[in-house]
Amino acid sequence: MAKKFDTVVLGGGIVGVSIAVHLQQRGRSVALVDRKRPGNETSLGNAGLIQREGVYPYAFTRELGTLLRYARNRSSDVRYHPRAMPSFAPFLVRYWHHSQPARHAAIARSYATLIEHCVSEHRTLAAAAGASDLIRQSGWMKVFRSAQVRDEETRNAERWHAEFGVAFDSLDAARLREIEPALRGSLQGALHYTASDSVSDPNALVTAYAGLFEKLGGEFLIGDATTLQPGWTVDTERGRIDARAAVVAMGPWSDVVSTKLGYRLPLAVKRGYHMHYAPEGEARLNHPVLDVENGYMITPMARGIRLTTGVELGHRDAPKTPDQLTAVEPIARTLFPLGQRVDDEPWLGRRPCTPDMMPIIGPARRHRDLWFAFGHAHHGLTLGPITGRMVAEMMTGAQTLVDPAPFRVDRF
């Protein structure tokens, strides 16, 4: 006989785990189902940022010079698989459309309602999970190799501050050297986003949140989310389970289930890579650092210095092609004294993206008690806990902290 739950949450990344915790805290009996232990897919590899400053989601460039540079497929921040471009084209056209400045600004006004709670919701969950030591409350930095780019980015930060209260410090080259003495090269200063947090081990944080979920009485099960059937039933290693409600929070694989159920949602992926390095000698990196002109990030992690790449456009399950990592590694070594590689091979992750740059959060309109929570793009780690809270509030009929309307499924 199948075991029964109030809700089955499909997906053991930061979003799915956060939803499971919040539902369990509200008295629902929850099964969390994934093919791996929590935090071992997309949530494993990221720059570890909780981006309070991220009120404007990453737009598609509309500058002709940048587009031509990307078209040559040699850029350090964006690469693509030529054979994948025909299937990507409809998504990219819609992405470009929504990136028009006025539309992008309107999107930011909705998106900021989620972003403004990202740090506080993470800190609350981390405290409950006994994982506060994994979160650093010291912000992160963009560093600049040219005064022109520095000034452009500073104007953006000033606008974000005026519109949304984004906190930042503008650092000249001397002040930057005081804060990050191991950085090298003729840097022209930095922007320090002081209200954002960072994570020393994203996998450990998601694991801690999953541990809280189980401590609250929830059950994690290895299973095959693609076996979901209206009812709602799912096959797991311990047999079939039944639930009154189901939540699809499978990140870049969410469309496998949503499409099977008859939904045509515009989900694409941006792939990315990371590699860990031992620092040379006594070199220390105190903050995550984005090399703006070259489109990569270095972050101090428990495993070493994590180098993360920009965007690779390719089919979700295509083999690894870590050309960007190969291209930016020597550049990163000019910024910080990276030692030997720590990992056996580069890690590949996939960011689930929608063309309007906002996640899909809310009830599925054609099925009763089916909910979607995916499409968080570059901000999955950032928005996991606030998404979890919002979904749990909607499912239990509580007043939501954030208006869910801009993120509704039927906007597409």
Side-chain angles (χ1 to χ4, degrees):
M1 183 175 180
K3 188 167 185 178
K4 298 183 182 298
F5 296 86
D6 292 325
T7 305
V8 57
V9 177
L10 304 176
I14 182 62
V15 175
V17 169
S18 296
I19 293 167
V21 170
H22 276 283
L23 284 170
Q24 198 72 33
Q25 286 177 328
R26 287 161 175 77
R28 296 293 176 94
S29 62
V30 181
L32 178 64
V33 175
D34 203 335
R35 59 187 177 181
K36 297 181 179 179
R37 291 293 304 176
N40 280 287
E41 284 287 1
T42 306
S43 293
L44 175 68
N46 53 70
L49 302 182
I50 303 172
Q51 291 189 254
R52 175 62 184 87
E53 89 297 334
V55 290
Y56 273 83
Y58 295 100
F60 195 109
T61 183
R62 297 174 73 88
E63 296 179 356
L64 180 59
T66 304
L67 289 171
L68 291 174
R69 176 165 59 86
Y70 290 165
R72 291 194 292 268
N73 207 19
R74 303 284 295 175
S75 174
S76 60
D77 53 344
V78 176
R79 297 283 180 100
Y80 62 89
H81 292 178
R83 291 183 179 179
M85 286 302 97
S87 62
F88 262 91
F91 175 88
L92 293 176
V93 168
R94 295 175 72 178
Y95 186 13
W96 183 86
H97 169 81
H98 287 293
S99 298
Q100 186 270 340
R103 297 186 188 100
H104 194 206
I107 288 167
R109 289 191 289 273
S110 296
Y111 198 67
T113 63
L114 283 177
I115 289 288
E116 68 176 307
H117 301 289
C118 65
V119 168
S120 58
E121 291 299 312
H122 256 292
R123 290 181 183 179
T124 297
L125 271 193
S132 296
D133 60 325
L134 296 174
I135 295 180
R136 300 175 293 228
Q137 300 181 16
S138 54
W140 68 281
M141 294 184 180
K142 294 180 177 180
V143 299
F144 307 107
R145 297 174 183 265
S146 74
Q148 178 182 352
V149 174
R150 177 199 64 200
D151 294 345
E152 290 173 358
E153 289 283 343
T154 300
R155 286 193 291 271
N156 286 336
E158 290 169 345
R159 178 162 56 93
W160 300 347
H161 175 73
E163 293 178 357
F164 302 108
V166 171
F168 73 96
D169 285 337
S170 184
L171 308 178
D172 61 19
R175 181 63 178 143
L176 175 58
R177 283 194 296 272
E178 291 178 10
I179 296 174
E180 291 289 356
L183 294 185
R184 304 187 291 201
S186 56
L187 299 173
Q188 301 299 307
L191 288 176
H192 181 195
Y193 289 107
T194 55
S196 298
D197 286 354
S198 66
V199 179
S200 62
D201 189 335
N203 172 262
L205 187 68
V206 178
T207 298
Y209 290 174
L212 172 63
F213 164 68
E214 292 180 308
K215 184 178 179 180
L216 291 168
E219 292 191 39
F220 173 76
L221 301 166
I222 296 290
D224 183 359
T226 66
T227 64
L228 179 71
Q229 296 288 339
W232 296 97
T233 69
V234 180
D235 293 338
T236 76
E237 287 186 343
R238 290 189 238 165
R240 193 189 76 188
I241 61 171
D242 294 341
R244 291 192 293 113
V247 183
V248 179
M250 298 165 59
W253 294 277
S254 295
D255 61 339
V256 175
V257 172
S258 64
T259 300
K260 178 181 174 183
L261 294 171
Y263 296 87
R264 298 294 182 266
L265 299 173
L267 192 70
V269 299
K270 296 178 184 177
R271 291 157 45 115
Y273 298 85
H274 84 221
M275 172 60 67
H276 291 99
Y277 302 80
E280 288 185 349
E282 299 299 318
R284 178 181 175 85
L285 187 65
N286 298 312
H287 302 79
V289 170
L290 173 66
D291 182 346
V292 175
E293 282 95 336
N294 292 296
Y296 68 86
M297 189 161 221
I298 52 174
T299 304
M301 292 280 183
R303 188 168 171 79
I305 304 299
R306 178 179 290 184
L307 170 61
T308 56
T309 68
V311 170
E312 179 186 77
L313 298 176
H315 293 306
R316 181 188 59 210
D317 300 321
K320 294 179 182 179
T321 53
D323 298 335
Q324 276 178 301
L325 185 66
T326 300
V328 299
E329 181 181 303
I331 301 172
R333 292 185 184 278
T334 70
L335 179 67
F336 182 86
L338 299 174
Q340 295 296 315
R341 288 186 170 192
V342 174
D343 305 324
D344 293 333
E345 61 179 83
W347 179 88
L348 166 65
R350 301 130 175 114
R351 309 173 185 100
C353 303
T354 65
D356 67 358
M357 296 162 271
M358 296 198 297
I360 297 169
I361 305 172
R365 297 306 184 188
R366 297 172 54 190
H367 292 83
R368 184 173 180 176
D369 296 323
L370 176 65
W371 299 76
F372 292 151
F374 51 83
H376 292 75
H378 297 261
H379 288 152
L381 180 67
T382 292
L383 295 177
I386 182 57
T387 299
R389 175 172 175 171
M390 187 166 71
V391 170
E393 288 169 340
M394 286 191 287
M395 292 183 71
T396 58
Q399 179 67 40
T400 57
L401 179 64
V402 175
D403 180 6
F407 315 102
R408 66 190 184 280
V409 179
D410 62 357
R411 73 182 189 270
F412 295 113

